[in-house]
Amino acid sequence: MLVLGIESSCDDCAAAVLADGRRILAHAIHSQFHIHQAYGGVVPELASRDHLEKIVPVLETVMAQAGLAWEQLEGIAVTRGPGLIGSLLVGLSAAKALAFSLDIPFYGVNHLEGHLLAIFLEDLAPAFPFLGLIISGGHTSLYQVNGFSEYRRLGQTRDDAAGEAFDKGAKLLGLGYPGGTAIDRMGSRGNPAAFHFPRAMASAKTLDFSFSGLKTALRHFLEQRGEPFVQEHLQDVAASYQEAVVDSLLQKLSQAISLTRIPRVVLSGGVAANSRLRARMQELADREALEVFFPSPFLCTDNAAMIAAAGTRHLQCGETSPLSLNADPNLQL
Ligand code: KG4
Ligand code: ZN
């Protein structure tokens, strides 16, 4: 089954063509990074306007790369939520227009299901059940995945996402946007135990996360120590701040592993690229005999291949969406 995937939930305009939900024939992505960089975060209105300009060229590019004619497509998968409403509507409208004109089915995919299933595009995929931790700029959610379409949410962030903690921390430290890579780079040369930042809800029974207090703690730290001190110890501050995020994520993951007795973990989302998190996760895995899976970087961040992979599973089960389907910015999984 040849399926075109479309992803436009935030600031990436992406398309991909998949054969049988497994084989990527082509994928293309237009990043809006350069547009939002000056604002230190995604500006929804600018995002949707840019999607509108780029969606058709991105779709044409991916079809040309795949060497396919439109008529050869057998289905369309598109992100219907969660995300920014204006951005979502651009992808969804394009998907509906194509499905209608080509007279083929389409399916509105939950973006989070896409992240959870991205690992199935790799050669080495996990067995069920596994624990799926989605950590990105917009999400921090932990799922027990018992099978395709069998998801149980164990916890999620009560405020900021893990990526947001990196981005806001980097902004306070003057390291630019997006902040994850900057803190990762800076922190790799610092001492993670140099300063102490809070690990929210560490001893609580809940598997929920919280990161907004961490950012506030960093602001207070900066006010107390002053700019010259912080600049002089920037690598140690970045490493210590990063350690608090990593500790918080691993603490809840360890709790979930003990509770569910599932020794298999998949990490995805942009924050899964963090080198300290990967190293600490590997240590934990070696110590506790866990299997850990990280999708390739381009499958960790927002992409249309994961949407096509998830959508194909539904389409193959005969599930389709009506042309009246609306985007849902708060769609739950
Ligand atoms: O999945 P993604 O590309 O987009 C969504 O938010 O959906 O994730 C972007 C997030 C940003 O917050 C960025 O700072 C973070 O992932 N990120 C990282 C790293 N690379 C990207 N965070 C920590 N370490 C990294 N190496
Ligand atoms: Zn995402």
Side-chain angles (χ1 to χ4, degrees), residues 35-56:
I35 295 175
H36 306 291
Q37 189 180 22
Y39 302 91
V42 177
V43 183
E45 181 61 25
L46 296 181
S48 47
R49 283 173 194 232
D50 194 64
H51 278 302
L52 212 47
E53 278 181 24
K54 299 297 168 5
I55 187 82
V56 173

Side-chain angles (χ1 to χ4, degrees), residues 7 9-12 42 111 115 134-139 161-168 170 176-185 242 245-246 268-278 297 299-303 306:
E7 154 64 37
S9 64
C10 188
D11 60 341
D12 290 306
V42 177
H111 181 82
H115 275 301
I134 305 169
I135 33 180
S136 69
H139 309 282
E164 226 174 327
F166 276 110
D167 294 336
K168 288 178 175 171
Y177 167 86
T181 40
I183 290 192
D184 193 344
R185 213 174 320 113
Q242 172 172 262
V245 179
V246 170
S268 70
V271 180
N274 185 267
S275 53
R276 181 70 180 162
L277 175 66
R278 284 181 173 239
L299 291 171
C300 268
T301 53
D302 286 350
N303 67 87
M306 68 182 192

Side-chain angles (χ1 to χ4, degrees), residues 129-131 257 260-265 288-293:
F130 65 83
L131 297 175
I257 292 164
T260 60
R261 299 190 180 283
I262 295 174
R264 213 167 294 109
V265 177
E288 308 281 335
L290 308 171
E291 274 185 281
V292 189
F293 298 81

